[in-house]
Amino acid sequence: MTIENVSWNKSFGGWHKQYTHHSDVLGCEMRFAIYLPPQIAQGEKVPVLYWLSGLTCTDENFMQKAGAQRIAAELGIAIVAPDTSPRGEDVPDDADGAYDFGHGAGFYVNATQAPWNRNYRMYDYVVHELPALIETHFPVNDKRAISGHSMGGHGALMIALRNPSRYTSVSAFSPIANPVNCPWGKKAFTHYLGNDPESWKAYDSAELMKHNAQPVPALVDQGDQDNFLAEQLKPEALLSAAQAVDYPLELRMHEGYDHSYHFIASFIEDHLRFHAQYLL
């Protein structure tokens, strides 16, 4: 489980660093970013918030645009941001170079269909391999929360719902809440998981929430001027599922906000303080 440090920048008394490593799960070289708050200098082991980004993103988008480091430094929370898919010349990609499938669009599932099942196992990478790597190499404890945006919001909610004992809390910005019923989800799931929509439900947050027996506290923020709101994101499906089973979900609609990192930067402090209630 060797890692290589490829960049580092001091930030709010802590450090933002990028590392590369070979992933046995994904069968390729991967990169992740980590923010280590200043509390580690005093010998503290800190909890970790895992951030999952959306379509077309890498580990860099959130770390550079969201402005999360200031509050993470205050609270003493590490942030880990993986890439959004396996990458490399030997990793299959969309034949037409589409942004919503293949490289940059792993959807945080374990693919079952060839040729995607050779590399596209982002679920196992995020849930198991990456945390084991982080907890081996960095001064962190075993408390984890998870969050994300758009495709990453789908990943965060779905992963927390499937692994409630691994995460103290979950949050999302503009998540793809019901992927079995939207164009992005149908395209990705058909290629990665096959033609049986019933099998897709294992990776659908709205479907999983209907049958959840061990709730993880959840916060979701959505802008009402998001171009993808009606066709792709479907927060009403998530809210309906939560209401049906009395799930501890707070879903907030924000007037005038869109799908961009301007929206995330506006409310990221709320999310970090929400997670801090459970991580600290």
Side-chain angles (χ1 to χ4, degrees):
M1 298 180 74
T2 59
I3 61 175
E4 180 181 356
N5 185 203
V6 295
S7 74
W8 54 92
N9 303 93
K10 195 160 190 180
S11 178
F12 295 99
W15 289 92
H16 167 264
K17 298 184 178 185
Q18 286 178 306
Y19 289 85
T20 59
H21 72 102
H22 176 78
S23 168
D24 291 335
V25 167
L26 303 178
C28 66
E29 192 83 358
M30 290 294 286
R31 189 178 71 189
F32 67 86
I34 184 168
Y35 177 70
L36 295 165
Q39 287 80 0
I40 65 168
Q42 284 78 51
E44 291 187 35
K45 286 193 171 186
V46 298
V48 181
L49 173 67
Y50 288 87
W51 173 270
L52 306 184
S53 290
L55 293 166
T56 77
C57 291
T58 69
D59 66 288
E60 294 185 331
N61 298 71
F62 176 80
M63 291 298 202
Q64 294 181 4
K65 295 180 179 180
Q69 290 89 341
R70 178 177 64 85
I71 302 302
E74 174 194 326
L75 296 171
I77 296 173
I79 302 174
V80 172
D83 203 346
T84 52
S85 78
R87 296 180 192 262
E89 292 183 3
D90 296 330
V91 175
D93 194 8
D94 185 87
D96 300 319
Y99 78 94
D100 57 355
F101 183 72
H103 290 190
F107 271 84
Y108 305 102
V109 304
N110 282 341
T112 60
Q113 306 300 300
W116 316 105
N117 58 347
R118 189 174 73 244
N119 302 102
Y120 285 79
R121 303 185 61 81
M122 286 298 292
Y123 176 87
D124 279 351
Y125 178 71
V126 170
V127 175
H128 300 294
E129 187 178 36
L130 183 60
L133 198 71
I134 298 301
E135 290 164 19
T136 297
H137 289 280
F138 299 99
V140 300
N141 58 40
D142 60 359
K143 287 194 172 183
R144 313 174 196 94
I146 192 164
S147 184
H149 171 233
S150 194
M151 179 186 71
H154 140 73
L157 289 166
M158 175 270 293
I159 284 171
L161 287 163
R162 288 180 54 146
N163 301 274
S165 63
R166 288 185 65 83
Y167 302 96
T168 62
S169 48
V170 59
S171 71
F173 290 85
S174 316
I176 305 171
N178 191 202
V180 303
N181 287 316
C182 79
W184 280 340
K186 289 178 180 179
K187 177 180 179 178
F189 286 6
T190 298
H191 285 82
Y192 292 142
L193 304 174
N195 293 319
D196 179 13
E198 282 299 311
S199 70
W200 304 350
K201 292 181 179 180
Y203 294 104
D204 184 292
S205 298
E207 293 292 334
L208 290 166
M209 195 170 279
K210 294 176 184 177
H211 310 290
N212 187 271
Q214 188 179 342
V216 178
L219 171 65
V220 172
D221 279 338
Q222 174 65 60
D224 71 357
Q225 295 302 304
D226 191 316
N227 291 339
F228 305 113
L229 179 57
E231 184 180 25
Q232 302 282 12
L233 305 181
K234 302 188 181 298
E236 68 279 357
L238 190 69
L239 184 60
S240 176
Q243 291 173 340
V245 296
D246 198 24
Y247 194 93
L249 166 70
E250 182 180 5
L251 195 157
R252 309 188 303 186
M253 295 295 296
H254 296 277
E255 182 181 358
Y257 285 92
D258 57 18
H259 200 71
S260 71
Y261 268 84
H262 297 290
F263 175 44
I264 297 171
S266 298
F267 297 101
I268 190 62
E269 180 172 350
D270 289 359
H271 284 239
L272 287 168
R273 295 194 185 282
F274 165 77
H275 290 294
Q277 299 175 70
Y278 306 99
L279 284 171
L280 301 177

